[in-house]
Amino acid sequence: MTYGRAAAPAVAGGLLLTLLLWWAGASVNALHLQGTADVLGGRVAADLEHWLSPWSFELPDAVRWGTGSVSGTGEPAGVNGSRYTALYATGMQIRIITVFAFFLPGALLLVRRLPPVNGRVPAALAAVWGWGMVAGTLAVTVSAPWLIASHGRGSFRFLPQLAGEMTAGRQILVPASLLAAVVTVLVARVTAKGAGDIPRAVVPAGVARLSATAGTVVVALSLFVLSHQSVAAKLQGTYLSGGLLSEPGDLLRQLLLLGAWDWPAGLALDRWLMYRATDVLLLLVVWWALRLLPSLLTRATVPAMAAGAVGATVMGLLAGQSARILMDASDSGMRWGLVQMTSVIGTGVPAALVVGAVAGTTAAVTLRLTAVRMPDGTRAAPESPSPEPAPRA
């Protein structure tokens, strides 16, 4: 599929994702209307406001009152106050614009290399859905410095503050990215009609399994080794020489750890095993996706495999988190409410971006190293020498 045919779906999905997040932020004011708390419940309304506020242009209380940027009458309190509010507005503008800027190239690559035809629709939908969540997370991250500075404490433990901001607004990204992915895939199916036949590549099963295993080992390293509490504590305690970037520990945890676990101390063994089963579910999703990707892609390039692996890792995270929510719901009987129980959804996307990209690159390199180029330009697994026929008597 050419870039020209893939551009329209990517632009349509990016515009929809941007508009959905802007609309979600603008809807925060509706939660302040009289009677909203009575209809939804005070706790649910507060949780929804917490989810939507990272996408809202409305000044938060920390900026409005904490820095003295706005007086009691609602007017900017002097020059410094107007600068703080201007920083916040600039940060939000960057956040909304960069959602589209980050979504477009990833969706363009995925739609071109993974067109939703010939049985590729579920894979394309999942990959674009995962990339939408990554695009939102990247937009939150690059705009965070302006928002941190607008609170009047930009030079205080900057990296830990940045790590805390990276996961803001993740809950609303899940449905918004899904809707954007659906529109992207539907438009891509229309634009692909005139592109002719887009056949699936033939990849030997052994090569595909070896490639998928190599990529999954990278994810397992983050999930089971780095995510152990003892290792994670050492990462978090990392300290460099003094300065603005001297405390990278929290940021490293966000970028490298897909989970968090420890040995079952004070927790029933069966319960501990059930939680570990959700981690295994993540690995199964990643392995199965990496196993199918080489044959689904029109060309298994390193960027395409990396983008596909990122989407697979995000989908694995969502699958594991959904399983945990169901387990908690069965235990508590929905005592905490659906909004409170689903608050963990979407965590780990920054690590999924880093670890998934490394896993996809590893899978692509393994795929190339274990394949032999054929005379017609295709690649296939090296065949083992067949045994020579026994001499005739």
Side-chain angles (χ1 to χ4, degrees):
M1 195 172 186
T2 63
Y3 280 114
R5 294 183 181 276
V11 170
L15 288 176
L16 179 61
L17 179 60
T18 304
L19 290 175
L20 285 173
L21 294 175
W22 175 84
W23 171 77
S27 301
V28 171
N29 292 326
L31 298 174
H32 300 158
L33 296 177
Q34 186 176 5
T36 302
D38 297 333
V39 174
L40 299 177
R43 181 164 187 149
V44 172
D47 287 338
L48 288 176
E49 182 178 0
H50 177 71
W51 290 9
L52 300 179
S53 292
W55 304 101
S56 174
F57 280 81
E58 183 180 1
L59 288 175
D61 292 339
V63 176
R64 181 179 296 274
W65 309 115
T67 63
S69 60
V70 178
S71 66
T73 61
E75 298 296 331
V79 176
N80 289 334
S82 63
R83 287 175 179 171
Y84 285 125
T85 56
L87 276 173
Y88 186 83
T90 301
M92 289 307 304
Q93 291 168 4
I94 294 172
R95 179 167 296 184
I96 295 298
I97 293 173
T98 51
V99 169
F100 178 81
F102 283 120
F103 181 86
L104 182 61
L108 187 65
L109 174 64
L110 288 171
V111 171
R112 182 171 185 258
R113 294 299 184 193
L114 192 61
V117 293
N118 296 343
R120 297 183 178 99
V121 174
L125 179 64
V128 178
W129 183 11
W131 183 255
M133 295 184 61
V134 170
T137 301
L138 288 173
V140 169
T141 303
V142 300
S143 61
W146 283 266
L147 301 182
I148 292 172
S150 70
H151 289 70
R153 46 185 172 84
S155 61
F156 174 71
R157 303 188 73 226
F158 174 74
L159 289 183
Q161 290 188 77
L162 179 62
E165 288 283 339
M166 288 178 69
T167 58
R170 66 183 185 276
Q171 295 90 349
I172 199 63
L173 273 174
V174 177
S177 300
L178 176 58
L179 291 176
V182 170
V183 170
T184 302
V185 169
L186 291 178
V187 177
R189 286 184 62 83
V190 174
T191 59
K193 287 183 178 179
D197 187 29
I198 307 177
R200 295 174 59 163
V202 178
V203 179
V207 174
R209 285 195 294 265
L210 180 61
S211 171
T213 302
T216 306
V217 167
V218 176
V219 179
L221 179 66
S222 169
L223 192 61
F224 290 118
V225 178
L226 298 182
S227 294
H228 189 270
Q229 291 291 356
S230 60
V231 180
K234 292 180 180 179
L235 281 175
Q236 190 166 5
T238 303
Y239 188 84
L240 305 178
S241 58
L244 190 65
L245 308 179
S246 61
E247 299 178 85
D250 290 331
L251 187 61
L252 289 175
R253 289 195 64 164
Q254 289 286 355
L255 295 176
L256 299 177
L257 274 60
L258 286 169
W261 68 281
D262 202 351
W263 301 111
L267 183 67
L269 181 61
D270 58 344
R271 187 68 178 175
W272 183 84
L273 291 175
M274 290 177 65
Y275 279 121
R276 301 290 69 77
T278 62
D279 295 334
V280 175
L281 176 61
L282 190 159
L283 293 180
L284 290 176
V285 171
V286 171
W287 186 89
W288 185 250
L290 292 179
R291 162 69 177 82
L292 297 178
L293 262 180
S295 60
L296 292 175
L297 294 170
T298 57
R299 185 182 176 190
T301 61
V302 172
M305 287 290 291
V310 169
T313 308
V314 174
M315 291 298 101
L317 281 173
L318 291 180
Q321 291 161 4
S322 300
R324 290 198 176 197
I325 290 172
L326 292 177
M327 287 190 299
D328 293 337
S330 63
D331 287 347
S332 63
M334 300 296 291
R335 183 174 67 252
W336 299 109
L338 183 62
V339 174
Q340 289 79 22
M341 294 183 64
T342 56
S343 61
V344 299
I345 202 77
T347 56
V349 174
L353 173 60
V354 176
V355 176
V358 176
T361 302
T362 303
V365 171
T366 304
L367 188 68
R368 293 192 176 190
L369 291 177
T370 55
V372 175
R373 186 172 294 278
M374 305 298 289
D376 60 356
T378 58
R379 300 178 74 89
E383 296 183 0
S384 56
S386 57
E388 296 182 359
R392 294 183 179 180

